[in-house]
Amino acid sequence: MRALQGLFQGWVLLLTICAAGIGGTFQFGYNLSIINAPTLYIQEFTNETWQMRTGRPLPDHLVLLVWSLIVSLYPLGGLLGALLAGPLAITLGRKKSLLVNNIFVVAAATLFGFSRRAGSFEMVMLGRLLVGVSAGVSMNVQPMYLGESAPKELRGAVAMTSAIFTALGIVMGQVVGLRELLGGPQAWPLLLASCLVPGVLQLASLPLLPESPRYLLIDRGDSEACLAALQRLRGPADLAGELAELEQERAACGGRRARRPWELFGDRALRRQVASLVVLGGAMELCGNDAVYSYASAMFVQARIPPEKVQYAVIGTGGCELLATLVSCVVIERVGRRVLLMGGYCLMTCWGSVFTAALCLQSSFPWMPYLAMSCIFAFILSFGIGPAGVTGILATELFDQTARPAAYMVCGVLMWTMLFLVGLGFPFIMEGLSHFLYVPFLCVCVCAAVYTFFFLPETKGKTFLEISEELYRLNFPGWSQSPMWRGPEVVQSTEL
């Protein structure tokens, strides 16, 4: 009977991962990819709507402007959501923040579903802003929630599931957007409104699962609720050691209030953490993976894949990232974070270089487009193995409980800003650099690999307290104080 109880409770962590992911980062990937299929249909709807209102068609450049706004409002909403995520996570808790976040999804799905009947392309624009806000909140809160709920032996693998659900959302969005499903000219409002389905699944399942034990004990001071959550997540295992670690972490936080984002940059004890977050978070968005997705369709056409079959080949790119993140989730607790990050960026540098050479020589050799196409898949696989998942773990593992929400706000603002700038600037990079468009991204990959090798500490298998103590020693070399010190502050010049 005890064995059956342990098996059942062992599933609680898995169900928590799935319930948080399906309405969390899955929504980010899904809404990022479904907008590609109805591009022409939404542009036609915009022109028809304007003509019905004014009696005149909308000029082509203004149709393109409206479409650009529809696309760019998603990262703008994500930026707003990232700013909202920290206060929500502190005030409501991790689980309730994810549940409340579905208000934006329900509102957006309603706007999408009735936009054609109402004859309003403005409803589509507002809906994209709202799903962006939802994605911004979930991208920050979900890895925080899962990282705090997982045991230290599985923390990296559990936090990696955020990247898995992002890749799964991209693939599902590509599949549902096929012309044979919801990618046709009449079904696009349903395609955009289908984001409601994962939201409803999360609302039905997540309330049955426990809150983050760390939030309950350290932020709320509720020892009984913390113990109950741990018992549900861990099963009948001995929890004395983990409870002692949580109490030590609570004592280390010393009742301090949650940090504000701007305070992180002025604290010398956090300089290594903040630098790693900014450098590696920025590198993930500037490494060129989004650019590869943008270039994929053109490469498939040049490789003589029939135009009507290109949409199926594009699904293969999303499938590659999903496969790579699954592999990374399995091996991360064996090889560590540093190896995956350095290996991923080094492989991306290699494949990006070959891709650039293939673009330059594609007119000289008939098989060069096939090599370029292969490099696209290899580059996406390399991205999924390392940067795609490991970067999202940094804010969870490098910062303590009081600084973690603010760190995710900084990371989220950085990610969404970079995503917006890359989308805005990539067409000009393509036009200006031609076949050498990938050289700036290769430089970013090299810099990220070098930074990881010299400055990022390994966190595999360590408790949050052990990580904090190691980072303290790195930030204050030669100091004998630790984060657990409770006496008067030691002045470095008089320490002896």
Side-chain angles (χ1 to χ4, degrees):
M1 184 65 183
R2 186 175 177 83
L4 288 175
Q5 183 184 14
L7 181 63
F8 172 76
Q9 290 175 318
W11 281 90
V12 173
L13 180 60
L14 178 61
L15 292 174
T16 302
I17 292 168
C18 294
I22 194 67
T25 52
F26 177 90
Q27 288 276 36
F28 165 67
Y30 187 75
N31 288 292
L32 190 67
S33 64
I34 60 171
I35 197 66
N36 295 323
T39 298
L40 293 177
Y41 308 133
I42 294 177
Q43 290 179 357
E44 290 173 1
F45 167 70
T46 301
N47 195 21
E48 292 168 1
T49 302
W50 187 263
Q51 193 164 5
M52 287 176 60
R53 292 177 186 176
T54 65
R56 298 189 306 274
L58 196 64
D60 290 344
H61 69 280
L62 291 181
V63 171
L64 188 60
L65 176 63
V66 172
W67 172 249
S68 299
L69 286 173
I70 290 173
V71 174
S72 60
L73 280 171
Y74 184 66
L76 177 61
L79 178 61
L80 297 176
L83 294 172
L84 188 61
L88 276 179
I90 295 167
T91 307
L92 300 179
R94 287 36 166 166
K95 186 178 84 169
K96 286 183 181 178
S97 296
L98 289 173
L99 292 171
V100 169
N101 187 41
N102 285 291
I103 292 173
F104 300 113
V105 175
V106 173
T110 304
L111 290 169
F112 289 143
F114 291 99
S115 58
R116 168 172 263 173
R117 181 169 295 183
S120 172
F121 58 83
E122 294 87 353
M123 291 173 68
V124 179
M125 297 170 70
L126 181 57
R128 286 294 290 177
L129 179 68
L130 291 177
V131 291
V133 173
S134 172
V137 172
S138 62
M139 287 286 287
N140 285 6
V141 177
Q142 180 191 332
M144 195 189 315
Y145 174 45
L146 296 179
E148 293 176 358
S149 300
K152 67 176 183 179
E153 298 83 6
L154 297 174
R155 190 175 59 234
V158 169
M160 274 290 299
T161 59
S162 298
I164 291 175
F165 276 99
T166 298
L168 182 61
I170 290 173
V171 174
M172 287 301 299
Q174 292 169 338
V175 171
V176 175
L178 291 173
R179 284 186 291 269
E180 294 83 352
L181 297 177
L182 295 180
Q186 302 301 318
W188 65 263
L190 289 177
L191 174 64
L192 299 183
S194 61
C195 63
L196 182 63
V197 176
V200 169
L201 289 175
Q202 185 177 72
L203 287 171
S205 57
L206 194 57
L208 307 175
L209 298 162
E211 175 60 277
S212 159
R214 273 185 168 76
Y215 172 78
L216 292 171
L217 181 66
I218 300 173
D219 291 81
R220 302 301 297 267
D222 193 339
S223 302
E224 293 183 2
C226 171
L227 179 59
L230 277 176
Q231 287 173 337
R232 292 191 64 193
L233 287 166
R234 307 289 186 265
D238 183 14
L239 301 174
E242 190 164 1
L243 280 172
E245 178 211 326
L246 286 174
E247 288 291 353
Q248 285 181 329
E249 191 175 345
R250 181 187 186 183
C253 292
R256 289 176 285 138
R257 64 168 176 79
R259 302 287 191 96
R260 296 182 175 91
W262 55 88
E263 293 175 347
L264 303 183
F265 294 91
D267 191 340
R268 185 183 172 190
L270 295 175
R271 58 185 178 183
R272 176 78 62 120
Q273 296 92 308
V274 172
S276 298
L277 192 69
V278 171
V279 171
L280 296 177
M284 187 182 74
E285 296 303 323
L286 297 176
C287 67
N289 188 64
D290 295 328
V292 164
Y293 275 111
S294 302
Y295 217 67
S297 296
M299 277 293 95
F300 294 147
V301 170
Q302 287 190 18
R304 298 181 180 86
I305 293 177
E308 66 275 8
K309 302 294 184 184
V310 167
Q311 60 176 344
Y312 303 107
V314 170
I315 294 175
T317 59
C320 278
E321 186 169 338
L322 176 59
L323 175 63
T325 52
L326 286 169
V327 172
S328 182
C329 182
V330 172
V331 303
I332 187 170
E333 294 299 347
R334 297 183 182 181
V335 303
R337 285 66 161 156
R338 281 165 46 86
V339 171
L340 288 179
L341 268 179
M342 287 188 295
Y345 279 121
C346 288
L347 287 173
M348 290 164 69
T349 303
C350 172
W351 294 117
S353 302
V354 177
F355 182 63
T356 301
L359 289 181
C360 294
L361 298 173
Q362 62 182 343
S363 58
S364 303
F365 302 96
W367 47 270
M368 277 297 168
Y370 298 97
L371 177 61
M373 184 176 68
S374 302
C375 288
I376 287 175
F377 286 107
F379 190 94
I380 293 172
L381 281 169
S382 305
F383 175 78
I385 287 173
V390 179
T391 308
I393 304 174
L394 297 179
T396 299
E397 295 192 327
L398 299 183
F399 294 85
D400 65 17
Q401 192 75 11
T402 60
R404 195 170 293 131
Y408 268 105
M409 289 176 68
V410 172
C411 185
V413 168
L414 180 70
M415 186 199 83
W416 289 102
T417 303
M418 293 295 183
L419 188 65
F420 176 77
L421 292 177
V422 169
L424 192 66
F426 183 66
F428 300 100
I429 295 175
M430 283 185 65
E431 184 176 350
L433 297 182
S434 185
H435 298 325
F436 298 97
L437 82 163
Y438 229 75
V439 172
F441 301 124
L442 296 181
C443 295
V444 171
C445 291
V446 172
C447 292
V450 171
Y451 181 90
T452 302
F453 180 78
F454 285 105
F455 299 107
L456 185 69
E458 182 55 74
T459 57
K460 179 185 72 170
K462 297 177 183 176
T463 66
F464 285 119
L465 270 180
E466 290 169 344
I467 295 169
S468 295
E469 289 172 356
E470 180 179 354
L471 286 165
Y472 194 89
R473 289 192 296 270
L474 291 171
N475 286 321
F476 298 97
W479 280 41
S480 59
Q481 275 180 286
S482 75
M484 294 294 292
W485 175 259
R486 284 288 165 262
E489 183 177 358
V490 171
V491 179
Q492 188 176 13
S493 60
T494 61
E495 183 177 359
L496 289 177

